[in-house]
Amino acid sequence: MLLLKFLVFCSLLINWGCLGIPSTALDETSWHSDAFLRNGGQRTKPKNAVSDKEISDTALKIWNSVKDLNVQYDGVTHKGKPLKLFTENQRTLRLDPYFSRLFGFYNARLGVEDPCVRTSACKDAQNSFIENISQDKGPISILYGFLSEKGIINGKIKDFRESLKTMWFEPYNRSGGVLDSSGFEHVFLGEIRNNAVKGLHNWMRMYDEELGGRFVLTRDGNYFPTAKPAVSDVSFTWNGFKKKGTTFFMKKSPAVETALYTLCFMVRRGQKCPIDLGSFQLDVQTFARNGSKSLIDTAYPIFPRKTKAY
């Protein structure tokens, strides 16, 4: 009886090293994606722990795999006009069609079921988006190669694509009722809850919303964007609702962002994921939905710890 009580007690304290098991040993299992396993992958024991340097090296390959988009940021007031995130000559910028096609399938209001839940056209758009960002030698291909080499996943690229769909697009409940959210919607598109903006960490979405008059940059941000750092931190109102401070990558494609966030989710989920990209250093923070290993709750960059010339 005493032994049983001791074992139960240990199960509650095991992350503190009960029975002499270090937390790092337990963390190894968290690197495996449950979604990948469900979709055809096989669990394998990691060959080595993933070091910060390996994360940075892989992140740098992902970062450089797609050329930066020619985006000019403003962040200043012109003759009494409202503050703008993007310059006036950027008003006709063409967005990634696979990415922007998804905008219309989601309702930003939490508590309202997303149209995507019951729309086959949305599933088709999701499939097209994942297929497009998973092209050979692209960001997702680089990520897949690294995770396979480290023994974190074991399966074909098509299995990994299915895992990505689950991680990013599987609908879940964020408000206590209907299926009103997903990792993709929260991170890339933004949501509204209790009269406040949640998520929204993507410049393309901000561009499209500013163009439509729904996104208004405000003056009380921690930083205003410039062309030099590759991450910005701004405050804004969206559809009349405020968010005081949100971070996002600048000039990067959705493929690069998805790959970076997924990398950190799979190897540093729930922790700061340190990335040294040469010109600057930053952390990426990811969290799983309600402790799940397969559903992304949120992901965002943390303003660079050290910035050099970019």
Side-chain angles (χ1 to χ4, degrees):
M1 185 66 180
L2 290 175
L3 177 60
L4 178 60
K5 290 182 178 180
F6 175 73
L7 292 175
V8 171
F9 180 71
C10 283
S11 68
L12 297 173
L13 299 180
I14 198 164
N15 284 330
W16 287 277
C18 184
L19 299 178
I21 301 175
S23 61
T24 52
L26 298 172
D27 287 344
E28 286 189 344
T29 59
S30 71
W31 293 336
H32 298 283
S33 164
D34 285 355
F36 184 79
L37 300 177
R38 288 201 304 269
N39 290 304
Q42 299 177 11
R43 185 180 296 280
T44 60
K45 183 178 180 180
K47 297 175 182 178
N48 298 291
V50 178
S51 68
D52 289 351
K53 184 178 185 306
E54 288 174 315
I55 294 174
S56 289
D57 289 346
T58 304
L60 186 59
K61 292 177 183 177
I62 291 171
W63 189 265
N64 292 330
S65 64
V66 178
K67 185 179 179 180
D68 281 2
L69 299 174
N70 184 23
V71 183
Q72 296 178 5
Y73 294 89
D74 197 339
V76 296
T77 302
H78 298 281
K79 297 180 180 180
K81 294 181 180 180
L83 203 64
K84 293 290 184 180
L85 181 57
F86 300 92
T87 59
E88 288 297 327
N89 64 355
Q90 293 271 282
R91 299 294 96 183
T92 58
L93 183 67
R94 186 173 183 271
L95 301 183
D96 180 333
Y98 295 95
F99 180 63
S100 59
R101 180 186 172 193
L102 288 161
F103 291 0
F105 291 111
Y106 292 90
N107 188 317
R109 286 275 189 177
L110 290 174
V112 178
E113 184 179 84
D114 282 322
C116 195
V117 174
R118 303 178 187 274
T119 308
S120 60
C122 180
K123 306 302 181 186
D124 292 339
Q126 292 172 349
N127 290 336
S128 296
F129 173 75
I130 294 297
E131 289 291 331
N132 183 62
I133 66 174
S134 303
Q135 296 177 10
D136 290 345
K137 299 181 181 180
I140 295 299
S141 178
I142 293 170
L143 173 61
Y144 168 75
F146 171 72
L147 296 175
S148 297
E149 180 183 347
K150 293 299 296 180
I152 297 172
I153 59 175
N154 181 24
K156 297 180 179 180
I157 185 67
K158 66 178 183 179
D159 301 319
F160 189 52
R161 290 192 190 107
E162 291 302 314
S163 298
L164 291 174
K165 292 175 190 176
T166 300
M167 287 182 209
W168 286 102
F169 291 119
E170 184 73 20
Y172 53 73
N173 174 282
R174 198 182 286 271
S175 63
V178 297
L179 297 176
D180 57 5
S181 184
S182 67
F184 177 84
E185 181 181 11
H186 181 82
V187 174
F188 289 99
L189 305 186
E191 298 172 313
I192 297 171
R193 182 178 185 181
N194 297 330
N195 296 324
V197 178
K198 305 297 182 182
L200 187 46
H201 300 283
N202 178 259
W203 73 265
M204 284 190 180
R205 176 65 162 176
M206 293 176 182
Y207 170 86
D208 189 64
E209 293 300 291
E210 185 176 73
L211 191 63
R214 297 175 292 273
F215 179 98
V216 179
L217 199 63
T218 59
R219 291 179 177 275
D220 57 352
N222 296 321
Y223 302 90
F224 287 117
T226 71
K228 293 186 180 296
V231 178
S232 189
D233 184 348
V234 300
S235 293
F236 60 89
T237 61
W238 179 43
N239 290 311
F241 301 101
K242 188 174 182 179
K243 184 167 188 184
K244 189 174 182 179
T246 195
T247 54
F248 58 97
F249 288 113
M250 300 163 64
K251 304 184 179 182
K252 308 312 291 187
S253 71
V256 169
E257 294 186 32
T258 302
L260 286 176
Y261 289 145
T262 303
L263 167 65
C264 288
F265 181 73
M266 295 193 72
V267 302
R268 292 291 189 274
R269 180 171 49 253
Q271 308 171 46
K272 287 183 178 180
C273 180
I275 294 176
D276 186 344
L277 294 172
S279 59
F280 58 90
Q281 301 167 342
L282 57 85
D283 295 314
V284 168
Q285 182 72 65
T286 64
F287 289 102
R289 184 64 186 163
N290 293 334
S292 166
K293 295 178 183 179
S294 60
L295 299 179
I296 292 175
D297 183 86
T298 190
Y300 53 87
I302 298 174
F303 210 78
R305 293 174 269 123
K306 178 180 176 184
T307 304
K308 303 175 185 177
Y310 177 70

